């Protein structure tokens, strides 16, 4: 049997920013005759492991899609399960960020989340802000179109107060109004579970990202799969139109 590959060869180019659409928790559970909530729990354990794996491979920024602006359309009970899991996750994440030195941030419109969850996000973001390890970003109630709508509102507010004029608008200025303003664009976007779409994840930022799709369901995604994605990335020729 071939040995599992758990390290990358030295000559490989490591993407600075990897963004992941963590999909397939429901199907993972279904295959095992388990409730969807079991798939979401398993998926949240995968996130924890992948943060450490990403850092050990030399990735500096990891962004994960945890809950989309469209996910509110799911049955109320599933939304409640996901929110409870996120609550637990944020608490755990605070502990972990103390141990592994990662800086944690949240993108998306968190104003729609319950107050206690917003508070733990604030605490986590604040407490980990000076950490120098992996820059880990969780997209929570995130939608790329919603992000652009919120950015346009802020731009117009700044125009009202005279901070900005129409002539000032450039791609960089717009980037600066997005939730991701202080991060590089993702080099590699990974989506698990076989769907070939972005589902409103980082549409502005991924304009020139390499897109990797795998049939592996998110709870089964591991370091070996991440290495496969990076190896695939190394075969890409990024031309940026040149
Ligand atoms: C991804 O898994 C997690 C979230 C979207 C919150 P899904 O719940 O979408 O799993 P599938 O796509 O139904 O298998
Ligand atoms: C995308 O997955 C959102 C997250 C992974 C959080 P979905 O399962 O919600 O996407 P669609 O509905 O298949 O496009
Ligand atoms: Mg899905």
């Amino acid at each position: 049997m071939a040995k599992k590959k758990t390290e990358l060869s030295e000559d490989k180019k490591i993407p600075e920013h990897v963004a992941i659409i963590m999909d397939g928790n429901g199907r993972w559970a279904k295959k095992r005759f388990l409730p969807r909530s079991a798939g979401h729990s398993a998926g949240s354990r995968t996130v924890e492991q992948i943060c450490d794996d990403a850092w050990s491979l030399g990735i500096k920024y990891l962004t994960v899609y945890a809950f989309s602006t469209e996910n509110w359309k799911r049955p109320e009970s599933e939304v409640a399960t996901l929110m409870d899991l996120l609550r637990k996750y944020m608490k755990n994440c605070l502990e972990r960020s103390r141990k592994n030195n990662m800086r944690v941030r949240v993108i998306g419109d968190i104003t729609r989340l319950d107050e206690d969850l917003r508070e733990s996000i604030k605490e986590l973001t604040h407490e980990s802000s000076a950490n120098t390890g992996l820059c880990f970003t969780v997209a929570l109630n995130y939608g790329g179109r919603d992000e652009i709508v919120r950015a346009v509102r802020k731009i117009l507010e700044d125009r009202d107060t005279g901070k900005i004029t129409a002539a000032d608008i450039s791609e960089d200025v717009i980037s600066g109004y997005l939730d991701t303003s202080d991060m590089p664009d993702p080099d590699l976007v990974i989506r698990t579970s076989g769907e070939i779409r972005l589902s409103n994840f980082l549409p502005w930022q991924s304009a020139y990202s390499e897109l990797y799709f795998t049939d592996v369901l998110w709870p089964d995604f591991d370091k070996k799969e991440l290495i496969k994605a990076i190896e695939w990335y190394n075969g890409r020729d990024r031309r940026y139109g040149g």
Side-chain angles (χ1 to χ4, degrees):
M1 203 176 89
K3 215 173 127 212
K4 271 195 180 178
K5 202 161 177 188
T6 53
E7 288 313 321
L8 261 178
S9 52
E10 297 261 315
D11 57 332
K12 293 284 187 275
K13 198 165 69 249
I14 305 297
E16 183 184 23
H17 182 179
V18 174
I20 308 183
I21 302 169
M22 312 183 289
D23 197 13
N25 293 349
R27 278 162 282 171
W28 182 93
K30 194 170 180 200
K31 262 175 53 185
R32 286 164 179 74
F33 306 101
L34 293 169
R36 291 179 65 85
S37 57
H40 294 313
S41 300
S44 86
R45 289 192 292 277
T46 301
V47 186
E48 301 197 347
Q49 185 56 47
I50 272 313
C51 286
D52 293 338
D53 295 338
W55 182 247
S56 77
L57 291 169
I59 293 163
K60 302 273 186 289
Y61 293 82
L62 178 70
T63 301
V64 299
Y65 204 6
F67 193 90
S68 75
T69 46
E70 288 74 33
N71 287 148
W72 297 106
K73 289 189 249 174
R74 294 191 179 199
E76 215 176 294
S77 60
E78 183 173 355
V79 171
T81 304
L82 283 166
M83 290 300 148
D84 276 343
L85 208 58
L86 281 164
R87 268 189 188 92
K88 274 193 220 135
Y89 185 79
M90 293 297 160
K91 294 255 177 311
N92 266 334
C93 203
L94 183 60
E95 287 303 309
R96 285 193 310 118
S97 69
R98 285 177 183 144
K99 287 191 190 123
N100 68 8
N101 196 26
M102 67 182 182
R103 179 149 64 110
V104 191
R105 287 186 297 186
V106 170
I107 56 170
D109 181 7
I110 63 164
T111 60
R112 200 172 156 188
L113 305 178
D114 286 347
E115 166 134 37
D116 66 312
L117 190 50
R118 289 202 314 264
E119 277 305 312
S120 39
I121 290 169
K122 233 168 121 188
E123 188 187 7
L124 176 60
T125 318
H126 178 73
E127 284 224 10
S128 68
S129 62
N131 288 353
T132 53
L134 180 74
C135 189
F136 176 52
T137 303
V138 185
L140 199 47
N141 191 26
Y142 175 87
R145 289 182 174 181
D146 177 68
E147 181 187 32
I148 292 170
V149 167
R150 287 184 287 107
V152 170
R153 279 203 194 110
K154 277 185 262 170
I155 291 172
L156 290 179
E157 280 163 19
D158 283 350
R159 193 173 79 151
D160 287 348
T161 60
K163 248 201 226 159
I164 197 165
T165 69
D168 295 328
I169 302 291
S170 65
E171 291 185 10
D172 284 345
V173 167
I174 293 176
S175 294
Y177 276 90
L178 298 177
D179 298 346
T180 49
S181 59
D182 49 358
M183 290 185 224
D185 287 339
D187 301 292
L188 172 63
V189 176
I190 297 173
R191 182 171 189 148
T192 57
S193 90
E195 310 300 342
I196 317 292
R197 56 175 172 262
L198 292 174
S199 302
N200 207 6
F201 188 47
L202 304 174
W204 171 278
Q205 299 86 340
S206 64
Y208 267 104
S209 305
E210 298 296 331
L211 310 178
Y212 177 83
F213 299 97
T214 170
D215 287 337
V216 173
L217 303 173
W218 175 249
D220 292 328
F221 194 86
D222 58 9
K223 188 173 185 183
K224 177 177 60 95
E225 296 299 334
L226 183 58
I227 287 174
K228 263 199 226 164
I230 296 173
E231 277 171 344
W232 173 87
Y233 172 82
N234 271 262
R236 311 306 308 159
D237 176 17
R238 302 186 76 186
R239 288 188 293 273
Y240 298 98

